Amino acid sequence: MAYSTKHLLLWFCVFVSVLSFAVRASDQSPLKVIALTDFKPFIWCEQDQAEGIDIELVAELFGRLELDYEIECVPWKRALFYIRSGKADVLLSGYKTAERETFATYPKVPVHLTVFSVFVRKGDDFVFNNVADLTGKKISVPAGFSINSEFDAAKQSGQFVSYETNTVASGFQMLMSGRVDAYVNERHVGLYALHEMGISNDVVPLKKPLHEPRPAYMIFSKKSAVNQKLLVDAVNTTLQTMWAEGTVLEITDNFTSRLLPIATVD
């Protein structure tokens, strides 16, 4: 099928925009990228070396944009401070919230989709249909994370007793010791950690998740010296292409294929 003149002109403009960004980026210092330390398999750090699905996606993305970057591994709360203050250019990765949009810019295209679940000791399951069912319970949660508006509001109001943890392992340790009734984290992150800790038979996620699959994005600091619009436009265009051609799924599958035995629970 022949392309219309309007269609061809649109793709030419996109190409010129990305090319223009690549040329300008070559004259700038490397982007400073902040990586989460404990969100395996999406992203994690060992001996200050970042690994995971998001790291490979960004390597492919910035490679196509011919953009130099360096990665620093920091905990989540400090990562948000770096983005708020402009100490870093990009954070991998997080949900879009109104509060964060006051100091950060988000692309339109996500890097991955996530689902948070409520994990409990096997045999201590309880009926869970919505956040109201957590009323009065003791829940451990990742420090500084936003789960969704309903959960965040219930936590803030004291509807349940919350205990913030800095690592996935410490959250599950609190659960196993009986100090809390449940632990909340991303489903695959939790299942991966349970497998590594050797307690997959002792802890399970409740069947109903806390929310439908939710997009997670690269987060760009508004105080970054990098041209925000040019960078975000280039990232949007290139990420959209990577999703459309199947590159995102291919990179994701390379990691999750070896997790298939632990990625689902009957």
Side-chain angles (χ1 to χ4, degrees):
M1 181 178 66
Y3 288 100
S4 68
T5 302
K6 184 178 180 180
H7 193 174
L8 290 173
L9 181 60
L10 174 61
W11 277 107
F12 176 75
C13 290
V14 169
F15 172 77
V16 170
S17 175
V18 174
L19 180 61
S20 174
F21 175 78
V23 171
R24 295 191 192 186
S26 65
D27 296 328
Q28 296 180 355
S29 300
L31 275 183
K32 184 170 184 179
V33 179
I34 298 301
L36 302 186
T37 57
D38 190 26
F39 203 61
K40 193 182 290 188
F42 296 103
I43 189 168
W44 74 95
C45 296
E46 294 183 4
Q47 299 180 343
D48 290 327
Q49 182 67 40
E51 302 180 52
I53 296 169
D54 288 0
I55 297 300
E56 290 215 355
L57 286 173
V58 165
E60 176 68 22
L61 170 66
F62 287 165
R64 295 187 183 198
L65 292 175
E66 299 182 5
L67 183 62
D68 292 331
Y69 65 99
E70 55 189 28
I71 297 178
E72 180 180 351
C73 300
V74 300
W76 176 249
K77 282 189 173 181
R78 194 191 311 167
L80 286 178
F81 169 75
Y82 279 12
I83 295 299
R84 186 190 298 271
S85 64
K87 192 173 180 178
D89 301 304
V90 186
L91 168 60
L92 295 176
S93 52
Y95 289 154
K96 183 187 297 185
T97 69
E99 189 271 334
R100 292 175 190 166
E101 286 187 286
T102 62
F103 59 85
T105 302
Y106 290 81
K108 295 179 181 179
V109 184
V111 289
H112 64 248
L113 303 177
T114 58
V115 174
F116 274 69
S117 291
V118 178
F119 290 84
V120 298
R121 294 178 296 274
K122 186 172 288 188
D124 290 340
D125 309 46
F126 54 85
V127 175
F128 177 76
N129 293 307
N130 53 56
V131 172
D133 294 322
L134 300 179
T135 300
K137 296 190 181 297
K138 293 180 289 185
I139 313 290
S140 58
V141 297
F145 274 36
S146 171
I147 309 302
N148 64 14
S149 58
E150 185 183 9
F151 183 92
D152 294 348
K155 176 187 172 186
Q156 184 68 28
S157 68
Q159 181 176 320
F160 51 83
V161 180
S162 63
Y163 300 87
E164 291 197 338
T165 56
N166 290 320
T167 67
V168 182
S170 61
F172 280 127
Q173 287 165 357
M174 288 189 71
L175 178 62
M176 290 299 296
S177 69
R179 293 175 58 194
V180 296
D181 302 303
Y183 173 56
V184 168
N185 210 320
E186 202 282 328
R187 180 181 176 87
H188 288 89
V189 170
L191 291 172
Y192 193 105
L194 291 173
H195 173 72
E196 289 197 320
M197 295 171 71
I199 55 173
S200 295
N201 293 326
D202 302 314
V203 176
V204 295
L206 296 180
K207 185 173 182 179
K208 185 177 178 65
L210 277 162
H211 57 78
E212 294 298 316
R214 189 178 176 188
Y217 302 87
M218 300 172 69
I219 302 176
F220 296 85
S221 172
K222 286 185 176 180
K223 290 190 175 181
S224 168
V226 178
N227 185 311
Q228 283 283 314
K229 187 178 188 310
L230 206 58
L231 174 59
V232 174
D233 284 351
V235 166
N236 271 324
T237 300
T238 309
L239 264 181
Q240 183 67 57
T241 298
M242 289 170 60
W243 276 101
E245 69 189 16
T247 301
V248 172
L249 182 59
E250 180 182 355
I251 290 173
T252 302
D253 283 348
N254 286 339
F255 274 83
T256 58
S257 60
R258 50 177 212 256
L259 305 181
L260 287 178
I262 65 166
T264 58
V265 173
D266 293 333

